[in-house]
Amino acid sequence: MNDEEHYQQGMNVRRAVLGEQHVDRTLSQLTPLNEEFQNFITRYAWGDIWTRPGLERHTRSLITIAMLIALNREAELKMHLRAAFNNGVTRDELKELIMHSALYCGLPAANATMHLAQQVFDEMDAAKR
């Protein structure tokens, strides 16, 4: 598969996981500084790793969220908490993941994530009204 095919495959997965609005907003903000980086993310993260056959997207979402909790990457974590629902992850599964992370990532990380998850849930619920 060439770079363009990886890009197209990655864009399909990226849109399915993150949502059309998020990807369109990102693409509308391309600049000479970030354009190559966004292409790189699409080809490698979404077109190569997220398309591998070894794990379902549901599992990849949970793993990604766990790693982002451990790394304290709030912006990416918020994005992936929201995106997890596109992969069939439930609120109860996210709650259990956050509870589990308290043991392995620490209480402050889990506490911050619990607040962030509630914020994401509230925003999603408000958008449905």
Side-chain angles (χ1 to χ4, degrees):
M1 192 177 296
N2 66 33
D3 282 351
E4 181 57 30
E5 291 167 329
H6 271 283
Y7 180 85
Q8 289 306 318
Q9 183 173 333
M11 189 55 71
N12 291 338
V13 174
R14 191 174 185 185
R15 287 183 180 283
V17 174
L18 300 178
E20 296 284 339
Q21 286 182 325
H22 175 84
V23 175
D24 288 345
R25 187 174 50 254
T26 300
L27 293 176
S28 74
Q29 297 172 359
L30 292 178
T31 67
L33 175 65
N34 69 20
E35 186 172 13
E36 288 180 58
F37 183 71
Q38 287 296 318
N39 185 286
F40 171 79
I41 291 169
T42 302
R43 283 183 292 126
Y44 289 101
W46 299 105
D48 193 28
I49 300 302
W50 274 80
T51 60
R52 292 177 57 82
L55 295 171
E56 299 296 322
R57 287 184 192 166
H58 179 275
T59 303
R60 288 185 193 282
S61 281
L62 293 172
I63 291 168
T64 301
I65 291 167
M67 288 187 282
L68 292 170
I69 292 169
L71 293 170
N72 190 27
R73 299 296 192 261
E74 185 177 320
E76 282 288 303
L77 177 56
K78 185 175 182 180
M79 179 182 71
H80 279 279
L81 284 168
R82 184 179 302 281
F85 295 102
N86 294 333
N87 292 325
V89 176
T90 67
R91 289 181 186 206
D92 285 340
E93 289 172 319
L94 290 173
K95 178 179 75 174
E96 291 306 318
L97 174 72
I98 296 166
M99 294 291 293
H100 197 76
S101 75
L103 292 175
Y104 295 95
C105 301
L107 291 172
N111 187 44
T113 303
M114 195 64 79
H115 290 288
L116 188 63
Q118 188 62 60
Q119 179 186 2
V120 168
F121 296 170
D122 291 347
E123 289 170 2
M124 292 174 74
D125 290 345
K128 290 179 186 175
R129 294 184 202 143

